[in-house]
Short mmCIF file of all heavy atoms in Angstrom, two decimals:
data_model
loop_
_atom_site.label_atom_id
_atom_site.label_comp_id
_atom_site.label_asym_id
_atom_site.label_seq_id
_atom_site.Cartn_x
_atom_site.Cartn_y
_atom_site.Cartn_z
N LEU B 206 -20.79 96.14 315.44
CA LEU B 206 -19.38 95.76 315.61
C LEU B 206 -18.53 96.96 316.05
O LEU B 206 -17.61 96.81 316.84
CB LEU B 206 -18.83 95.18 314.30
CG LEU B 206 -19.51 93.91 313.78
CD1 LEU B 206 -18.92 93.51 312.43
CD2 LEU B 206 -19.40 92.76 314.79
N PHE B 208 -19.69 99.82 317.64
CA PHE B 208 -20.04 100.13 319.04
C PHE B 208 -19.34 99.13 319.98
O PHE B 208 -18.84 99.51 321.04
CB PHE B 208 -21.55 100.00 319.25
CG PHE B 208 -22.39 101.18 318.77
CD1 PHE B 208 -23.44 100.98 317.87
CD2 PHE B 208 -22.18 102.46 319.25
CE1 PHE B 208 -24.25 102.04 317.44
CE2 PHE B 208 -22.99 103.54 318.83
CZ PHE B 208 -24.02 103.33 317.94
N ASP B 212 -16.83 99.76 323.25
CA ASP B 212 -17.28 99.25 324.54
C ASP B 212 -16.25 98.31 325.16
O ASP B 212 -15.96 98.38 326.35
CB ASP B 212 -18.62 98.52 324.35
CG ASP B 212 -19.21 98.07 325.68
OD1 ASP B 212 -19.68 98.95 326.43
OD2 ASP B 212 -19.17 96.86 325.99
N GLN B 213 -15.70 97.44 324.33
CA GLN B 213 -14.73 96.47 324.85
C GLN B 213 -13.48 97.18 325.37
O GLN B 213 -12.97 96.84 326.43
CB GLN B 213 -14.36 95.48 323.74
CG GLN B 213 -13.42 94.37 324.21
CD GLN B 213 -12.06 94.50 323.58
OE1 GLN B 213 -11.92 94.77 322.39
NE2 GLN B 213 -11.03 94.30 324.39
N PHE B 224 -6.75 104.48 323.85
CA PHE B 224 -7.31 105.61 323.09
C PHE B 224 -6.22 106.60 322.69
O PHE B 224 -6.27 107.20 321.62
CB PHE B 224 -8.39 106.33 323.90
CG PHE B 224 -9.70 105.58 323.98
CD1 PHE B 224 -10.25 105.21 325.19
CD2 PHE B 224 -10.40 105.26 322.81
CE1 PHE B 224 -11.46 104.52 325.25
CE2 PHE B 224 -11.62 104.58 322.87
CZ PHE B 224 -12.14 104.21 324.09
N ARG B 232 -9.91 105.26 313.82
CA ARG B 232 -10.81 106.37 313.52
C ARG B 232 -11.86 105.96 312.48
O ARG B 232 -13.05 106.18 312.67
CB ARG B 232 -10.00 107.56 312.99
CG ARG B 232 -10.83 108.82 312.74
CD ARG B 232 -10.03 109.88 312.01
NE ARG B 232 -9.61 109.36 310.71
CZ ARG B 232 -8.36 109.38 310.25
NH1 ARG B 232 -7.40 109.91 310.97
NH2 ARG B 232 -8.06 108.87 309.08
N ASP B 233 -11.42 105.34 311.39
CA ASP B 233 -12.35 104.93 310.34
C ASP B 233 -13.31 103.86 310.85
O ASP B 233 -14.51 103.92 310.62
CB ASP B 233 -11.59 104.37 309.14
CG ASP B 233 -10.81 105.46 308.42
OD1 ASP B 233 -11.11 106.64 308.61
OD2 ASP B 233 -9.89 105.10 307.67
N THR B 235 -14.33 103.16 313.79
CA THR B 235 -15.26 103.53 314.85
C THR B 235 -16.05 104.80 314.53
O THR B 235 -16.75 105.30 315.40
CB THR B 235 -14.53 103.73 316.19
OG1 THR B 235 -13.57 104.78 316.02
CG2 THR B 235 -13.86 102.47 316.66
N ARG B 236 -15.92 105.30 313.31
CA ARG B 236 -16.67 106.52 313.00
C ARG B 236 -18.17 106.31 313.26
O ARG B 236 -18.84 107.15 313.84
CB ARG B 236 -16.45 106.95 311.54
CG ARG B 236 -16.78 108.41 311.30
CD ARG B 236 -16.67 108.79 309.82
NE ARG B 236 -15.44 108.35 309.19
CZ ARG B 236 -14.29 109.04 309.20
NH1 ARG B 236 -14.22 110.20 309.80
NH2 ARG B 236 -13.22 108.56 308.59
N ARG B 246 -30.47 101.37 318.56
CA ARG B 246 -31.23 100.45 319.40
C ARG B 246 -32.50 100.02 318.65
O ARG B 246 -32.79 98.83 318.52
CB ARG B 246 -31.61 101.16 320.71
CG ARG B 246 -32.57 100.39 321.60
CD ARG B 246 -33.30 101.34 322.54
NE ARG B 246 -34.14 102.26 321.79
CZ ARG B 246 -34.61 103.44 322.26
NH1 ARG B 246 -34.29 103.84 323.48
NH2 ARG B 246 -35.38 104.21 321.51
N ARG B 253 -34.29 92.55 314.01
CA ARG B 253 -33.67 91.50 314.84
C ARG B 253 -33.35 90.21 314.08
O ARG B 253 -32.23 89.69 314.15
CB ARG B 253 -34.60 91.22 316.01
CG ARG B 253 -34.20 90.03 316.84
CD ARG B 253 -34.89 90.05 318.19
NE ARG B 253 -36.33 90.27 318.09
CZ ARG B 253 -37.14 90.34 319.15
NH1 ARG B 253 -36.63 90.23 320.38
NH2 ARG B 253 -38.42 90.52 319.00
N GLU B 259 -27.01 87.54 310.37
CA GLU B 259 -25.72 88.06 309.89
C GLU B 259 -24.67 88.02 311.00
O GLU B 259 -23.51 87.69 310.76
CB GLU B 259 -25.88 89.49 309.36
CG GLU B 259 -26.81 89.64 308.18
CD GLU B 259 -26.37 88.91 306.91
OE1 GLU B 259 -25.15 88.72 306.73
OE2 GLU B 259 -27.25 88.53 306.10
N ASP B 261 -24.52 85.97 313.51
CA ASP B 261 -24.08 84.58 313.75
C ASP B 261 -23.10 84.12 312.67
O ASP B 261 -22.10 83.46 312.96
CB ASP B 261 -25.29 83.66 313.82
CG ASP B 261 -26.10 83.89 315.11
OD1 ASP B 261 -25.57 84.56 316.03
OD2 ASP B 261 -27.24 83.42 315.19
N TYR B 263 -21.18 86.06 310.98
CA TYR B 263 -19.95 86.82 311.23
C TYR B 263 -19.14 86.18 312.37
O TYR B 263 -17.91 86.05 312.27
CB TYR B 263 -20.30 88.27 311.57
CG TYR B 263 -19.09 89.13 311.79
CD1 TYR B 263 -18.39 89.65 310.72
CD2 TYR B 263 -18.64 89.41 313.08
CE1 TYR B 263 -17.27 90.44 310.91
CE2 TYR B 263 -17.53 90.20 313.28
CZ TYR B 263 -16.84 90.71 312.20
OH TYR B 263 -15.72 91.48 312.41
N ARG B 271 -9.87 83.19 314.48
CA ARG B 271 -9.25 82.96 315.78
C ARG B 271 -8.45 81.66 315.78
O ARG B 271 -7.32 81.60 316.26
CB ARG B 271 -10.31 82.90 316.88
CG ARG B 271 -9.69 82.94 318.26
CD ARG B 271 -10.51 82.33 319.36
NE ARG B 271 -9.84 82.56 320.65
CZ ARG B 271 -8.77 81.89 321.07
NH1 ARG B 271 -8.24 80.93 320.33
NH2 ARG B 271 -8.22 82.18 322.24
N ILE B 274 -5.25 82.11 313.82
CA ILE B 274 -4.24 82.87 314.57
C ILE B 274 -3.63 81.97 315.65
O ILE B 274 -2.41 81.89 315.82
CB ILE B 274 -4.87 84.14 315.20
CG1 ILE B 274 -5.33 85.11 314.10
CG2 ILE B 274 -3.87 84.83 316.13
CD1 ILE B 274 -6.23 86.24 314.60
N GLU B 283 -3.90 84.64 305.40
CA GLU B 283 -3.61 85.39 304.18
C GLU B 283 -4.70 85.17 303.12
O GLU B 283 -5.07 86.09 302.40
CB GLU B 283 -2.24 85.02 303.64
CG GLU B 283 -1.81 85.96 302.52
CD GLU B 283 -0.43 85.63 301.97
OE1 GLU B 283 0.30 84.85 302.60
OE2 GLU B 283 -0.11 86.15 300.89
N ARG B 288 -8.64 87.72 299.97
CA ARG B 288 -9.95 87.68 299.33
C ARG B 288 -10.76 88.92 299.71
O ARG B 288 -11.42 89.54 298.88
CB ARG B 288 -10.68 86.41 299.78
CG ARG B 288 -11.89 86.06 298.96
CD ARG B 288 -12.40 84.67 299.32
NE ARG B 288 -13.25 84.70 300.50
CZ ARG B 288 -14.52 84.27 300.51
NH1 ARG B 288 -15.06 83.77 299.42
NH2 ARG B 288 -15.23 84.31 301.61
N SER B 289 -10.68 89.29 300.99
CA SER B 289 -11.41 90.48 301.46
C SER B 289 -10.86 91.73 300.78
O SER B 289 -11.63 92.58 300.34
CB SER B 289 -11.27 90.64 302.97
OG SER B 289 -11.95 89.61 303.62
N ARG B 293 -12.98 94.31 298.54
CA ARG B 293 -13.11 95.70 298.98
C ARG B 293 -12.59 96.64 297.92
O ARG B 293 -13.17 97.70 297.65
CB ARG B 293 -12.36 95.89 300.30
CG ARG B 293 -12.33 97.31 300.86
CD ARG B 293 -13.73 97.85 301.06
NE ARG B 293 -13.78 99.12 301.78
CZ ARG B 293 -13.41 100.31 301.32
NH1 ARG B 293 -12.89 100.40 300.12
NH2 ARG B 293 -13.55 101.39 302.06
N TRP B 296 -14.99 96.80 295.00
CA TRP B 296 -16.15 97.62 295.39
C TRP B 296 -15.82 99.10 295.25
O TRP B 296 -16.56 99.89 294.68
CB TRP B 296 -16.54 97.29 296.83
CG TRP B 296 -17.68 98.09 297.37
CD1 TRP B 296 -19.01 97.90 297.11
CD2 TRP B 296 -17.61 99.22 298.27
NE1 TRP B 296 -19.76 98.84 297.78
CE2 TRP B 296 -18.93 99.66 298.50
CE3 TRP B 296 -16.56 99.89 298.90
CZ2 TRP B 296 -19.23 100.73 299.34
CZ3 TRP B 296 -16.86 100.96 299.73
CH2 TRP B 296 -18.17 101.37 299.94
N LEU Q 206 -11.35 92.40 312.28
CA LEU Q 206 -12.82 92.53 312.25
C LEU Q 206 -13.29 93.05 310.90
O LEU Q 206 -14.34 92.64 310.40
CB LEU Q 206 -13.29 93.47 313.36
CG LEU Q 206 -12.98 93.03 314.79
CD1 LEU Q 206 -13.44 94.11 315.79
CD2 LEU Q 206 -13.61 91.69 315.13
N PHE Q 208 -11.57 92.82 307.88
CA PHE Q 208 -11.38 91.74 306.89
C PHE Q 208 -12.52 90.72 307.04
O PHE Q 208 -13.05 90.21 306.05
CB PHE Q 208 -10.05 91.01 307.13
CG PHE Q 208 -8.81 91.71 306.62
CD1 PHE Q 208 -7.74 91.98 307.47
CD2 PHE Q 208 -8.68 92.04 305.27
CE1 PHE Q 208 -6.57 92.59 307.00
CE2 PHE Q 208 -7.52 92.65 304.79
CZ PHE Q 208 -6.46 92.92 305.66
N ASP Q 212 -15.23 89.22 304.25
CA ASP Q 212 -15.20 87.78 304.01
C ASP Q 212 -16.55 87.14 304.23
O ASP Q 212 -17.01 86.31 303.45
CB ASP Q 212 -14.16 87.13 304.93
CG ASP Q 212 -14.00 85.65 304.64
OD1 ASP Q 212 -13.43 85.33 303.59
OD2 ASP Q 212 -14.48 84.81 305.44
N GLN Q 213 -17.21 87.56 305.31
CA GLN Q 213 -18.52 86.98 305.63
C GLN Q 213 -19.55 87.31 304.54
O GLN Q 213 -20.32 86.45 304.12
CB GLN Q 213 -19.00 87.50 306.98
CG GLN Q 213 -20.31 86.87 307.44
CD GLN Q 213 -21.42 87.88 307.45
OE1 GLN Q 213 -21.24 89.01 307.90
NE2 GLN Q 213 -22.59 87.49 306.99
N ASP Q 219 -26.49 86.55 298.49
CA ASP Q 219 -26.81 87.86 297.93
C ASP Q 219 -25.67 88.86 298.10
O ASP Q 219 -25.87 90.06 298.29
CB ASP Q 219 -28.12 88.40 298.52
CG ASP Q 219 -28.22 88.18 300.02
OD1 ASP Q 219 -27.20 87.78 300.62
OD2 ASP Q 219 -29.29 88.42 300.59
N PHE Q 224 -23.16 94.38 298.35
CA PHE Q 224 -22.13 95.36 297.97
C PHE Q 224 -22.76 96.53 297.21
O PHE Q 224 -22.32 97.68 297.35
CB PHE Q 224 -21.04 94.71 297.11
CG PHE Q 224 -20.08 93.86 297.90
CD1 PHE Q 224 -19.91 92.51 297.61
CD2 PHE Q 224 -19.33 94.40 298.94
CE1 PHE Q 224 -19.02 91.72 298.33
CE2 PHE Q 224 -18.44 93.62 299.67
CZ PHE Q 224 -18.29 92.27 299.36
N ARG Q 232 -18.22 101.78 303.99
CA ARG Q 232 -16.96 102.28 303.41
C ARG Q 232 -15.93 102.56 304.51
O ARG Q 232 -14.79 102.13 304.44
CB ARG Q 232 -17.23 103.55 302.61
CG ARG Q 232 -16.00 104.11 301.90
CD ARG Q 232 -16.27 105.50 301.34
NE ARG Q 232 -16.63 106.42 302.40
CZ ARG Q 232 -17.71 107.19 302.42
NH1 ARG Q 232 -18.56 107.18 301.41
NH2 ARG Q 232 -17.96 107.99 303.44
N ASP Q 233 -16.36 103.28 305.56
CA ASP Q 233 -15.43 103.61 306.64
C ASP Q 233 -14.98 102.35 307.38
O ASP Q 233 -13.80 102.18 307.67
CB ASP Q 233 -16.11 104.55 307.64
CG ASP Q 233 -16.37 105.92 307.05
OD1 ASP Q 233 -15.76 106.26 306.01
OD2 ASP Q 233 -17.20 106.67 307.61
N THR Q 235 -14.80 99.31 306.46
CA THR Q 235 -13.98 98.35 305.72
C THR Q 235 -12.79 98.98 305.02
O THR Q 235 -12.12 98.31 304.25
CB THR Q 235 -14.83 97.61 304.66
OG1 THR Q 235 -15.37 98.59 303.75
CG2 THR Q 235 -15.95 96.82 305.29
N ARG Q 236 -12.53 100.26 305.29
CA ARG Q 236 -11.38 100.87 304.60
C ARG Q 236 -10.11 100.06 304.88
O ARG Q 236 -9.32 99.80 303.98
CB ARG Q 236 -11.19 102.32 305.06
CG ARG Q 236 -10.39 103.16 304.06
CD ARG Q 236 -10.09 104.56 304.59
NE ARG Q 236 -11.25 105.25 305.10
CZ ARG Q 236 -12.10 105.96 304.35
NH1 ARG Q 236 -11.89 106.06 303.06
NH2 ARG Q 236 -13.14 106.54 304.90
N ARG Q 246 -1.20 89.35 307.98
CA ARG Q 246 -0.94 87.96 308.38
C ARG Q 246 0.22 87.94 309.36
O ARG Q 246 0.13 87.36 310.45
CB ARG Q 246 -0.59 87.14 307.12
CG ARG Q 246 -0.11 85.73 307.41
CD ARG Q 246 0.70 85.19 306.23
NE ARG Q 246 1.93 85.99 306.04
CZ ARG Q 246 2.64 86.04 304.91
NH1 ARG Q 246 2.25 85.35 303.86
NH2 ARG Q 246 3.74 86.78 304.84
N ARG Q 253 0.26 87.37 318.32
CA ARG Q 253 -0.79 86.39 318.59
C ARG Q 253 -1.37 86.45 319.99
O ARG Q 253 -2.59 86.49 320.17
CB ARG Q 253 -0.21 84.98 318.31
CG ARG Q 253 -1.13 83.85 318.70
CD ARG Q 253 -0.71 82.57 318.02
NE ARG Q 253 0.72 82.30 318.15
CZ ARG Q 253 1.29 81.22 317.64
NH1 ARG Q 253 0.57 80.33 316.96
NH2 ARG Q 253 2.57 81.01 317.78
N GLU Q 259 -7.49 90.15 323.17
CA GLU Q 259 -8.43 91.22 322.80
C GLU Q 259 -9.61 90.65 322.01
O GLU Q 259 -10.76 91.06 322.20
CB GLU Q 259 -7.73 92.31 321.98
CG GLU Q 259 -6.59 93.02 322.70
CD GLU Q 259 -7.03 93.83 323.92
OE1 GLU Q 259 -8.19 94.28 323.98
OE2 GLU Q 259 -6.20 94.01 324.83
N ASP Q 261 -10.86 87.67 322.20
CA ASP Q 261 -11.76 86.93 323.10
C ASP Q 261 -12.63 87.89 323.91
O ASP Q 261 -13.82 87.65 324.10
CB ASP Q 261 -10.95 86.01 324.02
CG ASP Q 261 -10.36 84.83 323.24
OD1 ASP Q 261 -10.80 84.60 322.09
OD2 ASP Q 261 -9.45 84.17 323.77
N TYR Q 263 -13.49 90.83 322.99
CA TYR Q 263 -14.43 91.41 322.03
C TYR Q 263 -15.58 90.44 321.74
O TYR Q 263 -16.74 90.84 321.69
CB TYR Q 263 -13.69 91.75 320.72
CG TYR Q 263 -14.57 92.39 319.69
CD1 TYR Q 263 -14.88 93.75 319.75
CD2 TYR Q 263 -15.12 91.64 318.65
CE1 TYR Q 263 -15.70 94.34 318.81
CE2 TYR Q 263 -15.95 92.22 317.71
CZ TYR Q 263 -16.23 93.57 317.79
OH TYR Q 263 -17.05 94.15 316.87
N ARG Q 271 -25.53 90.26 321.33
CA ARG Q 271 -26.41 89.31 320.66
C ARG Q 271 -27.57 88.92 321.57
O ARG Q 271 -28.74 88.88 321.16
CB ARG Q 271 -25.64 88.05 320.26
CG ARG Q 271 -26.45 87.16 319.35
CD ARG Q 271 -26.09 85.70 319.35
NE ARG Q 271 -26.86 85.02 318.31
CZ ARG Q 271 -28.14 84.69 318.43
NH1 ARG Q 271 -28.82 84.96 319.54
NH2 ARG Q 271 -28.78 84.08 317.44
N ILE Q 274 -30.08 91.76 321.76
CA ILE Q 274 -30.90 91.86 320.55
C ILE Q 274 -31.94 90.74 320.55
O ILE Q 274 -33.12 90.97 320.30
CB ILE Q 274 -30.01 91.77 319.28
CG1 ILE Q 274 -29.09 92.99 319.21
CG2 ILE Q 274 -30.88 91.68 318.02
CD1 ILE Q 274 -27.97 92.88 318.16
N GLU Q 283 -29.06 100.23 324.28
CA GLU Q 283 -28.86 101.68 324.31
C GLU Q 283 -27.74 102.06 325.28
O GLU Q 283 -26.97 102.97 325.02
CB GLU Q 283 -30.17 102.38 324.69
CG GLU Q 283 -30.07 103.88 324.46
CD GLU Q 283 -31.36 104.61 324.82
OE1 GLU Q 283 -32.40 103.95 325.00
OE2 GLU Q 283 -31.30 105.85 324.93
N ARG Q 288 -22.71 104.60 325.74
CA ARG Q 288 -21.39 104.67 326.36
C ARG Q 288 -20.29 104.71 325.28
O ARG Q 288 -19.33 105.47 325.37
CB ARG Q 288 -21.20 103.43 327.25
CG ARG Q 288 -20.04 103.52 328.19
CD ARG Q 288 -20.09 102.39 329.21
NE ARG Q 288 -19.52 101.17 328.69
CZ ARG Q 288 -18.46 100.54 329.23
NH1 ARG Q 288 -17.90 101.01 330.33
NH2 ARG Q 288 -17.99 99.44 328.71
N SER Q 289 -20.47 103.89 324.25
CA SER Q 289 -19.49 103.88 323.15
C SER Q 289 -19.46 105.22 322.44
O SER Q 289 -18.40 105.75 322.14
CB SER Q 289 -19.83 102.78 322.14
OG SER Q 289 -19.65 101.52 322.71
N ARG Q 293 -16.29 107.61 322.00
CA ARG Q 293 -15.79 107.90 320.65
C ARG Q 293 -15.77 109.41 320.41
O ARG Q 293 -14.84 109.94 319.80
CB ARG Q 293 -16.65 107.17 319.62
CG ARG Q 293 -16.32 107.44 318.16
CD ARG Q 293 -14.88 107.10 317.84
NE ARG Q 293 -14.54 107.13 316.43
CZ ARG Q 293 -14.40 108.24 315.70
NH1 ARG Q 293 -14.62 109.41 316.24
NH2 ARG Q 293 -14.04 108.16 314.43
N TRP Q 296 -12.98 111.05 322.36
CA TRP Q 296 -11.70 110.77 321.68
C TRP Q 296 -11.51 111.72 320.51
O TRP Q 296 -10.46 112.32 320.34
CB TRP Q 296 -11.69 109.31 321.20
CG TRP Q 296 -10.47 108.90 320.44
CD1 TRP Q 296 -9.24 108.58 320.96
CD2 TRP Q 296 -10.34 108.77 319.02
NE1 TRP Q 296 -8.36 108.27 319.96
CE2 TRP Q 296 -9.01 108.36 318.76
CE3 TRP Q 296 -11.21 108.95 317.94
CZ2 TRP Q 296 -8.53 108.14 317.47
CZ3 TRP Q 296 -10.73 108.72 316.65
CH2 TRP Q 296 -9.41 108.32 316.43
#
Side-chain angles (χ1 to χ4, degrees):
Chain B
L206 298 176
F208 281 125
D212 185 72
Q213 184 248 317
F224 285 121
R232 185 189 60 232
D233 291 341
T235 60
R236 200 185 312 274
R246 172 202 64 200
R253 172 163 49 181
E259 298 296 333
D261 289 345
Y263 182 81
R271 191 205 186 284
I274 295 167
E283 190 179 346
R288 194 170 83 122
S289 292
R293 177 57 171 72
W296 178 78
Chain Q
L206 298 177
F208 281 125
D212 185 71
Q213 184 247 317
D219 43 10
F224 284 121
R232 184 190 60 232
D233 291 343
T235 59
R236 201 186 310 274
R246 172 202 64 200
R253 173 162 49 179
E259 299 295 334
D261 289 346
Y263 182 80
R271 190 205 186 282
I274 294 168
E283 191 180 346
R288 193 169 84 120
S289 292
R293 177 57 171 73
W296 177 78

